[in-house]
CSV table of all heavy atoms in Angstrom, one decimal:
chain,number,residue,atom,x,y,z
A,342,PHE,N,0.5,-13.0,19.6
A,342,PHE,CA,-0.4,-12.0,19.9
A,342,PHE,C,0.3,-11.0,20.8
A,342,PHE,O,0.9,-11.3,21.9
A,342,PHE,CB,-1.6,-12.6,20.6
A,342,PHE,CG,-2.4,-13.6,19.8
A,342,PHE,CD1,-1.9,-14.9,19.7
A,342,PHE,CD2,-3.5,-13.3,19.1
A,342,PHE,CE1,-2.5,-15.9,18.9
A,342,PHE,CE2,-4.1,-14.2,18.3
A,342,PHE,CZ,-3.7,-15.5,18.2
A,343,ARG,N,0.2,-9.7,20.4
A,343,ARG,CA,0.8,-8.7,21.2
A,343,ARG,C,-0.3,-7.8,21.9
A,343,ARG,O,-1.2,-7.4,21.3
A,343,ARG,CB,1.6,-7.7,20.3
A,343,ARG,CG,2.9,-8.4,19.8
A,343,ARG,CD,4.0,-8.4,20.8
A,343,ARG,NE,5.2,-8.9,20.3
A,343,ARG,CZ,6.4,-9.0,21.0
A,343,ARG,NH1,6.4,-8.5,22.2
A,343,ARG,NH2,7.5,-9.5,20.4
A,344,LYS,N,-0.1,-7.6,23.2
A,344,LYS,CA,-1.1,-6.8,24.0
A,344,LYS,C,-0.8,-5.4,23.8
A,344,LYS,O,0.2,-5.0,23.2
A,344,LYS,CB,-1.0,-7.2,25.5
A,344,LYS,CG,-1.1,-8.7,25.8
A,344,LYS,CD,-1.0,-8.9,27.2
A,344,LYS,CE,0.4,-8.5,27.7
A,344,LYS,NZ,0.5,-8.4,29.1
A,345,SER,N,-1.7,-4.6,24.4
A,345,SER,CA,-1.5,-3.1,24.3
A,345,SER,C,-0.3,-2.6,25.0
A,345,SER,O,0.2,-1.5,24.7
A,345,SER,CB,-2.8,-2.4,24.9
A,345,SER,OG,-2.9,-2.7,26.2
A,346,ASP,N,0.3,-3.4,26.0
A,346,ASP,CA,1.5,-2.9,26.6
A,346,ASP,C,2.7,-3.4,25.8
A,346,ASP,O,3.9,-3.3,26.3
A,346,ASP,CB,1.6,-3.4,28.0
A,346,ASP,CG,1.6,-4.9,28.2
A,346,ASP,OD1,1.6,-5.6,27.2
A,346,ASP,OD2,1.7,-5.4,29.4
A,347,GLY,N,2.5,-4.1,24.7
A,347,GLY,CA,3.6,-4.5,23.8
A,347,GLY,C,4.1,-5.9,24.1
A,347,GLY,O,4.8,-6.5,23.3
A,348,ASN,N,3.7,-6.5,25.2
A,348,ASN,CA,4.1,-7.8,25.5
A,348,ASN,C,3.3,-8.9,24.9
A,348,ASN,O,2.2,-8.6,24.5
A,348,ASN,CB,4.2,-8.0,27.1
A,348,ASN,CG,5.4,-8.9,27.5
A,348,ASN,OD1,5.8,-9.8,26.7
A,348,ASN,ND2,6.0,-8.6,28.6
A,349,TYR,N,3.7,-10.1,25.0
A,349,TYR,CA,3.0,-11.2,24.4
A,349,TYR,C,1.8,-11.6,25.3
A,349,TYR,O,1.8,-11.5,26.5
A,349,TYR,CB,3.9,-12.5,24.3
A,349,TYR,CG,4.8,-12.5,23.2
A,349,TYR,CD1,6.2,-12.3,23.4
A,349,TYR,CD2,4.4,-12.6,21.9
A,349,TYR,CE1,7.1,-12.3,22.4
A,349,TYR,CE2,5.3,-12.6,20.8
A,349,TYR,CZ,6.7,-12.5,21.1
A,349,TYR,OH,7.6,-12.5,20.0
A,350,TRP,N,0.8,-12.2,24.7
A,350,TRP,CA,-0.3,-12.8,25.4
A,350,TRP,C,0.2,-14.2,25.9
A,350,TRP,O,0.9,-14.9,25.1
A,350,TRP,CB,-1.5,-13.1,24.4
A,350,TRP,CG,-2.6,-13.8,25.0
A,350,TRP,CD1,-3.1,-13.8,26.2
A,350,TRP,CD2,-3.5,-14.8,24.3
A,350,TRP,NE1,-4.2,-14.6,26.4
A,350,TRP,CE2,-4.4,-15.2,25.2
A,350,TRP,CE3,-3.5,-15.2,23.0
A,350,TRP,CZ2,-5.4,-16.2,24.8
A,350,TRP,CZ3,-4.5,-16.2,22.6
A,350,TRP,CH2,-5.4,-16.6,23.5
A,351,ARG,N,0.0,-14.4,27.1
A,351,ARG,CA,0.4,-15.7,27.7
A,351,ARG,C,-0.6,-16.1,28.8
A,351,ARG,O,-1.6,-15.5,29.0
A,351,ARG,CB,1.8,-15.6,28.2
A,351,ARG,CG,2.0,-14.6,29.3
A,351,ARG,CD,3.5,-14.5,29.7
A,351,ARG,NE,4.3,-13.9,28.7
A,351,ARG,CZ,5.5,-14.4,28.3
A,351,ARG,NH1,6.0,-15.5,28.9
A,351,ARG,NH2,6.2,-13.8,27.4
A,352,GLU,N,-0.3,-17.2,29.5
A,352,GLU,CA,-1.3,-17.8,30.3
A,352,GLU,C,-1.7,-16.9,31.5
A,352,GLU,O,-2.8,-17.1,32.0
A,352,GLU,CB,-0.8,-19.2,30.9
A,352,GLU,CG,0.0,-19.1,32.1
A,352,GLU,CD,1.5,-18.7,31.9
A,352,GLU,OE1,1.8,-18.3,30.8
A,352,GLU,OE2,2.2,-18.7,32.9
A,353,ASN,N,-0.9,-16.0,31.9
A,353,ASN,CA,-1.2,-15.2,33.0
A,353,ASN,C,-1.3,-13.7,32.7
A,353,ASN,O,-1.4,-12.8,33.7
A,353,ASN,CB,-0.2,-15.4,34.2
A,353,ASN,CG,1.2,-15.1,33.7
A,353,ASN,OD1,1.4,-14.7,32.6
A,353,ASN,ND2,2.1,-15.4,34.6
A,354,THR,N,-1.3,-13.3,31.5
A,354,THR,CA,-1.4,-11.9,31.1
A,354,THR,C,-2.0,-11.8,29.7
A,354,THR,O,-1.6,-12.5,28.9
A,354,THR,CB,-0.1,-11.1,31.2
A,354,THR,OG1,-0.3,-9.7,30.9
A,354,THR,CG2,1.0,-11.7,30.3
A,355,PRO,N,-2.9,-10.8,29.5
A,355,PRO,CA,-3.4,-9.8,30.3
A,355,PRO,C,-4.4,-10.3,31.4
A,355,PRO,O,-4.7,-9.5,32.4
A,355,PRO,CB,-4.2,-8.9,29.4
A,355,PRO,CG,-4.7,-9.8,28.3
A,355,PRO,CD,-3.5,-10.8,28.1
A,356,ILE,N,-4.8,-11.5,31.3
A,356,ILE,CA,-5.6,-12.1,32.4
A,356,ILE,C,-5.1,-13.5,32.6
A,356,ILE,O,-4.4,-14.1,31.8
A,356,ILE,CB,-7.1,-12.2,32.1
A,356,ILE,CG1,-7.3,-13.0,30.8
A,356,ILE,CG2,-7.7,-10.8,31.9
A,356,ILE,CD1,-8.8,-13.3,30.5
A,357,THR,N,-5.4,-14.1,33.7
A,357,THR,CA,-5.1,-15.5,33.9
A,357,THR,C,-6.3,-16.3,33.3
A,357,THR,O,-7.4,-16.2,33.7
A,357,THR,CB,-5.1,-15.8,35.4
A,357,THR,OG1,-4.0,-15.1,36.0
A,357,THR,CG2,-4.9,-17.3,35.6
A,358,LEU,N,-5.9,-16.9,32.2
A,358,LEU,CA,-6.9,-17.5,31.4
A,358,LEU,C,-7.7,-18.6,32.2
A,358,LEU,O,-7.0,-19.4,32.9
A,358,LEU,CB,-6.3,-18.2,30.1
A,358,LEU,CG,-7.2,-18.3,28.9
A,358,LEU,CD1,-7.7,-16.9,28.4
A,358,LEU,CD2,-6.5,-19.0,27.8
A,359,ALA,N,-9.0,-18.6,32.1
A,359,ALA,CA,-9.7,-19.5,32.9
A,359,ALA,C,-10.9,-20.1,32.1
A,359,ALA,O,-11.0,-19.8,30.9
A,359,ALA,CB,-10.3,-18.8,34.2
A,360,GLN,N,-11.8,-20.8,32.8
A,360,GLN,CA,-12.9,-21.4,32.1
A,360,GLN,C,-13.8,-20.4,31.4
A,360,GLN,O,-14.0,-19.3,32.0
A,360,GLN,CB,-13.7,-22.3,33.1
A,360,GLN,CG,-13.0,-23.5,33.6
A,360,GLN,CD,-13.8,-24.2,34.6
A,360,GLN,OE1,-14.9,-23.9,34.8
A,360,GLN,NE2,-13.2,-25.2,35.3
A,361,ASN,N,-14.3,-20.7,30.3
A,361,ASN,CA,-15.2,-19.9,29.5
A,361,ASN,C,-14.7,-18.6,29.0
A,361,ASN,O,-15.5,-17.7,28.6
A,361,ASN,CB,-16.5,-19.7,30.4
A,361,ASN,CG,-17.2,-21.0,30.7
A,361,ASN,OD1,-17.4,-21.9,29.8
A,361,ASN,ND2,-17.6,-21.2,31.9
A,362,ASP,N,-13.4,-18.4,29.1
A,362,ASP,CA,-12.8,-17.2,28.4
A,362,ASP,C,-12.8,-17.4,26.9
A,362,ASP,O,-12.8,-18.6,26.4
A,362,ASP,CB,-11.4,-16.9,28.9
A,362,ASP,CG,-11.4,-16.4,30.4
A,362,ASP,OD1,-12.5,-15.9,30.8
A,362,ASP,OD2,-10.4,-16.6,31.0
A,363,ARG,N,-12.8,-16.4,26.2
A,363,ARG,CA,-12.8,-16.5,24.7
A,363,ARG,C,-11.8,-15.5,24.0
A,363,ARG,O,-11.6,-14.4,24.5
A,363,ARG,CB,-14.2,-16.1,24.2
A,363,ARG,CG,-15.3,-17.2,24.4
A,363,ARG,CD,-16.6,-16.7,24.1
A,363,ARG,NE,-17.3,-16.1,25.3
A,363,ARG,CZ,-18.4,-15.5,25.3
A,363,ARG,NH1,-19.0,-15.3,24.1
A,363,ARG,NH2,-18.9,-15.0,26.4
A,364,MET,N,-11.3,-16.0,22.9
A,364,MET,CA,-10.5,-15.1,22.1
A,364,MET,C,-11.1,-15.3,20.7
A,364,MET,O,-11.4,-16.4,20.2
A,364,MET,CB,-9.0,-15.6,22.1
A,364,MET,CG,-8.1,-14.6,21.3
A,364,MET,SD,-8.1,-14.9,19.5
A,364,MET,CE,-7.2,-16.4,19.4
A,365,SER,N,-11.2,-14.1,20.0
A,365,SER,CA,-11.6,-14.2,18.6
A,365,SER,C,-10.9,-13.1,17.8
A,365,SER,O,-10.5,-12.1,18.4
A,365,SER,CB,-13.1,-14.0,18.4
A,365,SER,OG,-13.5,-12.8,18.9
A,366,GLY,N,-10.7,-13.3,16.6
A,366,GLY,CA,-10.0,-12.3,15.8
A,366,GLY,C,-10.0,-12.7,14.3
A,366,GLY,O,-10.7,-13.7,13.9
A,367,TYR,N,-9.3,-11.9,13.5
A,367,TYR,CA,-9.2,-12.1,12.1
A,367,TYR,C,-7.8,-11.8,11.7
A,367,TYR,O,-7.0,-11.2,12.3
A,367,TYR,CB,-10.2,-11.2,11.3
A,367,TYR,CG,-9.6,-9.8,11.1
A,367,TYR,CD1,-8.8,-9.5,10.0
A,367,TYR,CD2,-9.8,-8.8,12.1
A,367,TYR,CE1,-8.3,-8.2,9.9
A,367,TYR,CE2,-9.2,-7.6,12.0
A,367,TYR,CZ,-8.5,-7.3,10.9
A,367,TYR,OH,-7.9,-6.0,10.8
A,368,PHE,N,-7.4,-12.4,10.5
A,368,PHE,CA,-6.1,-12.1,9.9
A,368,PHE,C,-6.2,-12.1,8.4
A,368,PHE,O,-7.1,-12.7,7.9
A,368,PHE,CB,-5.0,-13.1,10.4
A,368,PHE,CG,-5.3,-14.5,10.0
A,368,PHE,CD1,-4.8,-15.0,8.8
A,368,PHE,CD2,-6.0,-15.4,10.8
A,368,PHE,CE1,-5.0,-16.3,8.3
A,368,PHE,CE2,-6.2,-16.7,10.3
A,368,PHE,CZ,-5.7,-17.2,9.1
A,369,MET,N,-5.2,-11.5,7.8
A,369,MET,CA,-5.1,-11.7,6.3
A,369,MET,C,-3.7,-11.8,6.0
A,369,MET,O,-2.8,-11.2,6.5
A,369,MET,CB,-5.7,-10.5,5.6
A,369,MET,CG,-5.1,-9.1,5.8
A,369,MET,SD,-5.9,-7.8,4.9
A,369,MET,CE,-4.6,-6.6,4.8
A,370,LEU,N,-3.4,-12.8,5.1
A,370,LEU,CA,-2.0,-13.2,4.7
A,370,LEU,C,-1.9,-13.5,3.2
A,370,LEU,O,-2.8,-14.1,2.7
A,370,LEU,CB,-1.6,-14.4,5.5
A,370,LEU,CG,-0.9,-14.3,6.8
A,370,LEU,CD1,-0.8,-15.6,7.5
A,370,LEU,CD2,0.4,-13.6,6.7
A,371,PRO,N,-0.9,-13.0,2.6
A,371,PRO,CA,-0.6,-13.4,1.2
A,371,PRO,C,-0.1,-14.8,1.1
A,371,PRO,O,0.8,-15.2,1.9
A,371,PRO,CB,0.4,-12.4,0.7
A,371,PRO,CG,1.1,-12.0,1.9
A,371,PRO,CD,0.2,-12.1,3.1
A,372,THR,N,-0.5,-15.6,0.2
A,372,THR,CA,0.0,-16.9,0.0
A,372,THR,C,0.6,-17.2,-1.3
A,372,THR,O,0.4,-16.4,-2.3
A,372,THR,CB,-1.2,-17.9,0.1
A,372,THR,OG1,-2.2,-17.6,-0.9
A,372,THR,CG2,-1.9,-17.8,1.5
Side-chain angles (χ1 to χ4, degrees):
Chain A
F342 301 80
R343 290 279 185 178
K344 305 179 298 166
S345 59
D346 66 0
N348 215 326
Y349 284 110
W350 176 36
R351 59 184 71 225
E352 87 282 4
N353 57 3
T354 181
I356 60 172
T357 298
L358 209 62
Q360 293 178 7
N361 297 315
D362 290 338
R363 279 171 274 172
M364 186 280 287
S365 65
Y367 79 92
F368 65 88
M369 63 181 203
L370 269 173
T372 59

